[in-house]
Amino acid sequence: PGAMSEAVTKESPAQDGEGGSRRSSWGLLVTAGVGGTLVALYAVVTPFVTPALRKVCLPFVPATATQIQNVLKMLENRSGPLVDIGSGDGRIVIAAAKKGFKAVGYELNPWLVWYSRYRAWRDGVHQNTKFYISDLWKVSFSHYRNIVVFGVPQMMPQLEKKLEEELECNARIIACRFPFPCWIPDHTTGEGIDTVWAYDLKHYRRCETKSLEITPETES
């Protein structure tokens, strides 16, 4: 019995050491797994909740279902190509495509663009939609007739000037959340954050005078 007791006593520290080592290894594995998961989650989620690098900070705030319906209401009886400036996760572009528009989204955040393309494919409208990774200040919107803008107050004055210079007289600009500072909206719908303003550019240009000036040149 004394020898047996001594043998057990000698073996116990070794067994405890092996068990502690195993527990330590499992602890390291669990810690590494949790840490890796958090890093991966941060890498995926961060682009969706923080602004991409822009001259004017334009954070991603998803459009509500009411905002989308209000935008579609402003597009009734309209035709021609549509562009969403700062298209986010593509929900406005996709909704417009389902209504028959050839719709394009410009977004600087690549994660959101890739996700938008996936959503368009999933919803079966990828043939009528396109999404581009681009800075809105470096793009000309001259060939679009319908323009949707989810902007912030800091960018609206400069964007108002850019659109007035580039767009044709038959263009309609639809602003969500924040109106343009100088233009007077032709139509308004919704309330609160769901308010949508529509501006017909023909009311801010001398379109008829411009066309009369061009006609003699084309005839000569």
Side-chain angles (χ1 to χ4, degrees):
M4 181 70 71
S5 174
E6 185 178 354
V8 170
T9 302
K10 289 181 179 179
E11 290 176 13
S12 294
Q15 291 173 351
D16 289 345
E18 291 174 2
S21 178
R22 284 195 296 270
R23 286 194 295 272
S24 177
S25 298
W26 277 109
L28 289 173
L29 288 173
V30 170
T31 301
V34 172
T37 301
L38 290 175
V39 169
L41 184 63
Y42 178 82
V44 171
V45 172
T46 296
F48 286 85
V49 296
T50 58
L53 296 176
R54 295 175 168 88
K55 181 164 57 176
V56 176
C57 179
L58 184 58
F60 168 54
V61 181
T64 67
T66 302
Q67 283 175 335
I68 295 173
Q69 290 305 311
N70 288 340
V71 169
L72 294 178
K73 187 182 298 183
M74 294 299 189
L75 292 171
E76 290 179 357
N77 302 318
R78 298 282 301 174
S79 60
L82 176 143
V83 61
D84 184 6
I85 301 176
S87 55
D89 63 359
R91 59 186 65 191
I92 291 288
V93 173
I94 292 170
K98 290 179 179 179
K99 293 294 183 179
F101 288 91
K102 292 285 187 180
V104 174
Y106 283 93
E107 169 62 45
L108 191 58
N109 191 316
W111 291 84
L112 292 173
V113 170
W114 296 331
Y115 182 62
S116 299
R117 291 169 180 168
Y118 161 73
R119 290 189 63 183
W121 171 82
R122 183 193 64 186
D123 289 4
V125 293
H126 59 283
Q127 293 183 340
N128 290 330
T129 61
K130 290 183 179 180
F131 296 94
Y132 296 104
I133 304 170
S134 184
D135 186 334
L136 69 89
W137 305 110
K138 299 178 180 179
V139 177
S140 172
F141 302 107
S142 59
H143 60 286
Y144 294 102
R145 287 191 59 197
N146 305 285
I147 299 87
V148 181
V149 180
F150 276 79
V152 292
Q154 298 93 321
M155 67 179 281
M156 299 306 272
Q158 187 176 352
L159 184 58
E160 181 181 73
K161 181 180 179 181
K162 174 180 171 64
L163 294 178
E164 189 167 358
E165 291 175 350
E166 293 180 354
L167 298 178
E168 297 294 333
C169 291
N170 58 0
R172 171 171 288 187
I173 303 101
I174 300 170
C176 306
R177 295 199 181 100
F178 299 101
F180 285 97
C182 298
W183 292 342
I184 299 174
D186 296 280
H187 310 279
T188 305
T189 187
E191 56 185 20
I193 64 169
D194 295 323
T195 304
V196 171
W197 299 266
Y199 306 85
D200 292 326
L201 195 60
K202 63 185 179 182
H203 296 155
Y204 304 97
R205 279 213 192 139
R206 297 172 60 189
C207 296
E208 294 179 359
T209 304
K210 181 179 178 182
S211 63
L212 289 173
E213 291 174 353
I214 293 174
T215 301
E217 296 179 5
T218 57
E219 290 178 352
S220 58

